[in-house]
Amino acid sequence: MNLIINTANRNKIIVAIGDNKNIIKESLETSFHESEKLIPLIKKVLKKAKKQLKKIKKIIVVTGPGPFTSLRIGIGVANALALSLNIAVVGFKKDEFKSIKDLIKKSENKKLKKNNFVKPFYDKKPNITKPKKPWLK
């Protein structure tokens, strides 16, 4: 069973669970607070699929390009879950797949290692601006 996490789309989180035969997917429109919404969405998908987290054998995560903070949250959760469950995590860029089924199929062809980490792919350098008010005096 695969857990798929996609936070690379602007204002949308997609979480799915499944294999080549059966996929259960949930998505959530969001513009902020992805960190508060991703874990409950994963729980919702697991409950809908009637699966437990320990039944997950692999985590597939979309690595970008996409919004900086959203990618960090999705990839961080994927890496943390993979480490805690002692399973493999594999990442794909948005242009490397066409659908969730395609993503699962391509993940089967990748060499997987436990205790590895996926890194985000940012399409541009971060745009860090100076704060309007000094927060530290």
Side-chain angles (χ1 to χ4, degrees), residues 42-102:
I42 292 170
K43 286 182 179 180
K44 183 177 179 181
V45 169
L46 286 167
K47 186 175 182 180
K48 193 173 178 181
K50 298 177 183 168
K51 300 290 181 189
Q52 294 179 334
L53 197 57
K54 63 184 176 183
K55 296 291 183 185
I56 301 296
K57 301 296 180 203
K58 175 177 44 182
I59 298 175
I60 305 166
V61 63
V62 179
T63 58
F68 180 79
T69 302
S70 297
L71 286 176
R72 273 189 346 188
I73 291 165
I75 293 169
V77 167
N79 285 332
L81 280 174
L83 182 65
S84 66
L85 295 170
N86 195 30
I87 59 175
V89 60
V90 60
F92 291 92
K93 294 179 188 173
K94 283 198 290 191
D95 63 355
E96 293 180 319
F97 64 94
K98 293 180 175 106
S99 66
I100 291 176
K101 279 191 175 188
D102 187 38

Side-chain angles (χ1 to χ4, degrees), residues 2 4 6 16-23 25 58 60-62 90-110:
N2 302 292
I4 298 99
N6 183 352
I17 188 169
D19 51 29
N20 284 330
K21 297 175 186 173
N22 190 21
I23 297 171
K25 177 180 117 175
K58 175 177 44 182
I60 305 166
V61 63
V62 179
V90 60
F92 291 92
K93 294 179 188 173
K94 283 198 290 191
D95 63 355
E96 293 180 319
F97 64 94
K98 293 180 175 106
S99 66
I100 291 176
K101 279 191 175 188
D102 187 38
L103 194 57
I104 292 169
K105 185 177 177 183
K106 288 185 179 196
S107 76
E108 291 171 355
N109 297 331
K110 273 205 168 187

